[in-house]
Structures are given as C-alpha cells and as structure tokens.
Amino acid sequence: MSDFPYTDRFTVNRVLPEHGRPREEVLAELREMARAEDLTWETGKVSGTMYCGDHEHYRFLDEAFGLFAHVNVLQRDICPSATKFEGEIIAMALDLMHADAVTDTEPVGMVTTGGTGSIIHALLSYREHAAAHRGITRPNFIKPETGHPAFDKGCHLFGIEMRTAPIDPQTTEVDVDWVADNIDENTIAIMGSACNYGYGTVDPIPALGELALSRGVGLHVDGCLGGFVLPFAQELGYDVPLFDFRVPGVTSISADNHKYGYALKGASTLLFRDKAYRNAQYFYLPEWSGGKYHSPGIEGSRSGGLIAAAWASMVQLGREGYRSYAKAILETAFTMQGAVRSHPELTIMGSPTFCFAFRSDEFDIYHVADAMKPKGWRFNGQQYPNAIHMAVTRPQTQAGVAEAFAADLADAVEYAKKQTAAGQAPISAAIYGGVPGGMTDEAAQFIEGFMEQMLDTQQSLPPL
Ligand SMILES: Cc1ncc(COP(=O)(O)O)c(C=O)c1O
C-alpha cells in the first residue's frame, strides 16, 4: 500500500475537534482527495474495482442516495418506499435469472451489503435450513478452489466445515467427480461460480445442478461478478453456459449491484429458488425488553440510500443499457485477450469471459506486471500458478485503452525475456508472489502489517 499522502496538506484529526469547520471547507478537502484518487483509474488502466466509471451516472446515483441516505430501512412504517425499492430490485433480479422457470416453489430474494454479504447470508440460510429439515449439526459445504474467499469466511463465522474441490488446470473448472465423492450426509450445499474472480471462467453449473438434485443438497451460484453481465452476454449470443434458475438444482444465486449492476458500493442481491431457504435465517427476539426485535438478515439498521440508488440504477439503465455496456465490455475483453494470445510466451487460463488471467511458461509473469506498472497499469497478481488478472470494466471500453494494453504488453513481454535472460527476479514478486507451502510466519506478519496500514495509519502518524 502507498504511503498515506494527505498528512502534509490536511489537518490530522486524532480527537473530535471542539469546534466544527465550515461545510465548504470540509467539502473542498474531500473534493481534492476524490479528484486525485479518481485520476488513478480514469485512464482505464486499472483492473476491476471501478465497474462503471461514468461520473454522470455517479451524480445520478448520488442524488438518489441523498434522498434516502438518512432513512433506516429497518423501520418500514416510516419508509414504505424501501419496500418498493427492495421488492422491485429482487423481482427484477429474479426475472434476469429466469426464476419464471421455477414452478414448484416460491422464488424470493433479499438485498445485502455486497458480495460477501450475499454469500454469508446464503451460507447461514443453508445451515439453518439443514439444521431444521435434515437435523444436521456438523455441517459442511463444498466449493471449487476458485470459489471466492467469502465462502471460507462465512464457513469460518458459522462453524461450517469447508471442503475445497480441485479444478482442472486446463479449463480451470471444478472437478465435479471430486465434489460427488466428497458430498456426505452432513453436506448442506455446494457451489459454482458464474464467473469466478480469478480466471473469469464459469463452472459446469448444469452438472453441479444434477449432482445437487440427486444428492439432496443446495447449489449456490456465485454470480456476484457475472450476474449483471452474463445474462446479457447470453442474449447477445456469446457462448455462455446456463447458470441460472433454468438449471434444475440451482437453489440460490448472488449478483452484485455494486459491481456490474452499476450501483453504489454496498449493494448486492441474493436470490433463492425456495422461500424456505431465505426464511430459515430470519432472526427474531420477541421477548427483548426493547420490543419484539426482528431483522430479515444479519444487519440491523441499513441505509435507504443504497437501496434507492441500486433501484435507480436498474430502472434507469434497463435491459437495453445493461446489454449495451455488456457488449462493449465483452468486445474489449476479447480484444485484450487477443493481444495476450498473440504472444506465444503467454497462456490464457481456461475459456474466460469479461475477466481473464494469463501466465507464462517462459518467464515469471510478474516481470510483465513490473514493466506495465510504470505505464499506469494496475493488475491483480495471482498465485498457484503465478498469473496476471484483468477484470474488464467500463473504463477499459474507452477509445484507445485496449490498443494501449496491446502495445504496453508487447513491450512488457520483451522486458520479461531480457530480465529472465539476465537472471533477474521480478520486483512485484514480493507483493504478488505465492507463499510456498501455505501460510508462513513471515507471510502472516506481512498480511497483518498490510491490514494495520489500512486501519491504524492515523495512529502511527508523527505528532502534530
Ligand atoms: C466472484 C466473486 N464473488 C464474490 C465476491 C465478493 O464481493 P465483495 O467484495 O462485494 O464482498 C467477489 C469480489 O470480487 C467476486 O469476484
């Protein structure tokens, strides 16, 4: 992480100031920071994270947010609008995921705070449902190795044993036979990604669905990343396998509004084939002295602003808007993948979609990251095997970005060959590099230091 850059320009607040400052002065400070930070990704050279990047859209969302930001949607009697927004977000997402194909149960959903929020609510639902209906007290869950760490986090939080399935190293898709062999009487659910973060590939959801049905377990499809792109990719005729409720056996799907749903950060949708799963995780405390407490999910108070903005994004863009953005993103992603494939030294992992990863058998791929970083590129580094990850978002669809990628990549490949011939190790390796054999003390210390830099920087600043 970079050094904290603002200490020389702005007051460091270690205590709540006795006297407040003029609003305009505070806003001027915020504007300066925001402008500087926006400049880093507006170039289109930053992988993922800024899914929309359109300041006009952000202004529209900000206005929708501002109208309801102060509202607590837990108190529905004073904000019936939240019931409209949440209900319609869920209905529109169910429609997108072809819940009309479900005839024997009632499909429902909930809006959560993000991908991790949706995933952990799904895990809690499966755990509670399995406890109530199958008497399971020692639950386990199976994810492919490529499944997002939010599943491991949820299992850790809720006392669920995680079983990690290997993937095929060529296709990067989950080994379905391994999953079949490792389902037992305590398995509450399995999962597949559409698509996974690391390689942008889609697991064989129809095969997982068949397995889930035949063994009586749930199947969660993680569409956090792909949920608002892949349905439109299918409509546009791209070769994307079925992954939604049309697949028998799919019992829940997550799709992040705050990624390719182009909403503000803090919104995701979790959908269930059967109301019984969602309702299994409701929380009630009717005997509490403060009143009969209940909440539909893990959070208590939630902001009406985020729900209003997520709803506003969906109804303003419509299918047409999402489809046109998906088209531009996919075309850019395939152009960039073409640039990678033009180098015989580079290998793309599996058959990716709008996000992809590439590695090399000829040199350490982090040499490529080293050469592209000074040109403004920011990729995520992967491990086992080392690879460079690129999630294509709307900022990359600007004119000239894919061409710049191709040109800078060509230079980077030459640089990597020279560095390798000279016996040089890549600089990025210290940050991106894998930790052989798992978590060492050194790696744990590095990660702890990284987290502390996020949270405690203000504590370690020099005295005022
Ligand atoms: C496939 C996938 N699932 C889940 C998540 C977790 O989402 P969040 O960071 O919003 O919690 C991500 C995040 O990138 C993701 O790519």
Side-chain angles (χ1 to χ4, degrees):
M1 201 185 296
S2 59
D3 291 336
F4 197 64
Y6 302 118
T7 48
D8 53 342
R9 272 181 290 157
F10 304 121
T11 310
V12 175
N13 298 290
R14 291 172 195 283
V15 294
L16 183 65
E18 181 60 28
H19 302 292
R21 293 160 57 193
R23 284 188 182 135
E24 205 32 61
E25 188 185 304
V26 176
L27 286 172
E29 187 171 323
L30 293 173
R31 278 190 205 106
E32 192 175 331
M33 287 187 247
R35 189 70 212 120
E37 291 170 15
D38 283 349
L39 288 174
T40 60
W41 58 262
E42 282 170 354
T43 57
K45 292 182 172 180
V46 172
S47 165
T49 194
M50 292 296 164
Y51 296 88
C52 174
D54 171 350
H55 284 289
E56 236 174 77
H57 186 69
Y58 290 151
R59 271 195 294 277
F60 164 68
L61 297 183
D62 291 345
E63 191 164 345
F65 174 80
L67 292 169
F68 295 93
H70 48 286
V71 171
N72 179 3
V73 304
L74 201 56
Q75 316 290 346
R76 289 295 164 98
D77 53 333
I78 58 166
C79 60
S81 56
T83 301
K84 171 182 167 64
F85 301 145
E86 193 155 24
E88 292 185 11
I89 292 168
I90 293 164
M92 290 186 277
L94 282 169
D95 175 53
L96 202 58
M97 297 299 166
H98 292 272
D100 54 340
V102 179
T103 51
D104 49 344
T105 51
E106 189 183 345
V108 294
M110 59 197 292
V111 177
T112 74
T113 53
T116 302
S118 286
I119 287 166
I120 66 174
H121 276 93
L123 287 167
L124 184 58
S125 299
Y126 285 119
R127 188 190 76 170
E128 297 300 287
H129 187 270
H133 296 270
R134 294 168 58 201
I136 291 180
T137 53
R138 294 164 62 85
N140 69 65
F141 179 85
I142 305 180
K143 75 156 203 177
E145 188 275 314
T146 45
H148 194 273
F151 291 93
D152 302 70
K153 189 188 277 183
C155 285
H156 166 72
L157 289 172
F158 302 141
I160 301 168
E161 180 202 338
M162 169 59 87
R163 298 183 176 176
T164 306
I167 57 163
D168 179 308
Q170 292 308 314
T171 65
T172 76
E173 292 165 21
V174 67
D175 179 342
V176 179
D177 291 338
W178 191 99
V179 178
D181 290 345
N182 284 273
I183 293 177
D184 64 20
E185 68 284 0
N186 289 322
T187 303
I188 54 173
I190 60 178
M191 66 85 50
S193 304
C195 53
N196 59 54
Y197 163 83
Y199 306 129
T201 50
V202 180
D203 283 311
I205 304 298
L208 291 174
E210 225 173 89
L211 181 60
L213 269 185
S214 70
R215 304 292 290 274
V217 301
L219 168 59
H220 181 83
V221 173
D222 182 7
C224 285
L225 199 58
F228 283 95
V229 180
L230 298 182
F232 300 104
Q234 287 173 336
E235 283 182 21
L236 289 162
Y238 288 98
D239 183 19
V240 177
L242 284 188
F243 64 88
D244 56 33
F245 288 121
R246 286 172 292 182
V247 178
V250 169
T251 45
S252 57
I253 305 176
S254 47
D256 285 359
N257 301 75
H258 73 186
K259 293 191 174 79
Y260 293 94
Y262 310 117
L264 292 176
K265 283 291 175 220
S268 169
T269 308
L270 172 61
L271 306 170
F272 295 94
R273 176 181 287 268
D274 184 349
K275 196 178 194 168
Y277 283 114
R278 181 194 63 184
N279 294 10
Q281 57 80 49
Y282 282 168
F283 184 81
Y284 322 97
L285 192 59
E287 62 276 12
W288 184 43
S289 56
K292 295 189 186 315
Y293 185 90
H294 56 274
S295 62
I298 295 170
E299 295 87 3
S301 300
R302 287 187 298 150
S303 164
L306 291 173
I307 292 179
W311 176 87
S313 184
M314 291 174 92
V315 298
Q316 193 274 321
L317 291 172
R319 295 186 84 97
E320 202 179 19
Y322 283 106
R323 199 182 302 113
S324 74
Y325 293 157
K327 186 168 190 292
I329 285 170
L330 288 156
E331 278 172 4
T332 305
F334 291 128
T335 303
M336 291 171 107
Q337 289 168 31
V340 175
R341 288 186 215 280
S342 72
H343 297 281
E345 302 86 351
L346 304 177
T347 307
I348 293 208
M349 322 269 306
S351 300
T353 50
F354 55 90
C355 88
F356 61 94
F358 56 100
R359 61 177 178 81
S360 177
D361 290 330
E362 311 276 319
F363 44 71
D364 191 326
I365 197 70
Y366 295 147
H367 281 305
V368 170
D370 285 351
M372 292 184 80
K373 195 171 174 215
K375 295 181 178 172
W377 293 97
R378 179 180 180 276
F379 304 113
N380 291 51
Q382 303 194 157
Q383 53 183 343
Y384 315 128
N386 286 0
I388 287 179
H389 173 265
M390 178 78 208
V392 178
T393 57
R394 286 191 60 214
Q396 277 87 61
T397 65
Q398 298 171 82
V401 176
E403 291 76 6
F405 174 79
D408 292 343
L409 181 67
D411 291 347
V413 167
E414 288 313 308
Y415 169 87
K417 286 200 263 192
K418 280 195 199 121
Q419 290 296 97
T420 307
Q424 296 292 328
I427 303 159
S428 307
I431 301 164
Y432 293 144
V435 183
M439 182 69 94
T440 60
D441 284 352
E442 213 181 5
Q445 254 174 26
F446 176 78
I447 290 167
E448 205 169 301
F450 199 76
M451 307 263 195
E452 279 172 9
Q453 260 204 313
M454 278 194 200
L455 299 175
D456 303 338
T457 304
Q458 291 287 343
Q459 305 301 326
S460 57
L461 291 174
L464 295 177

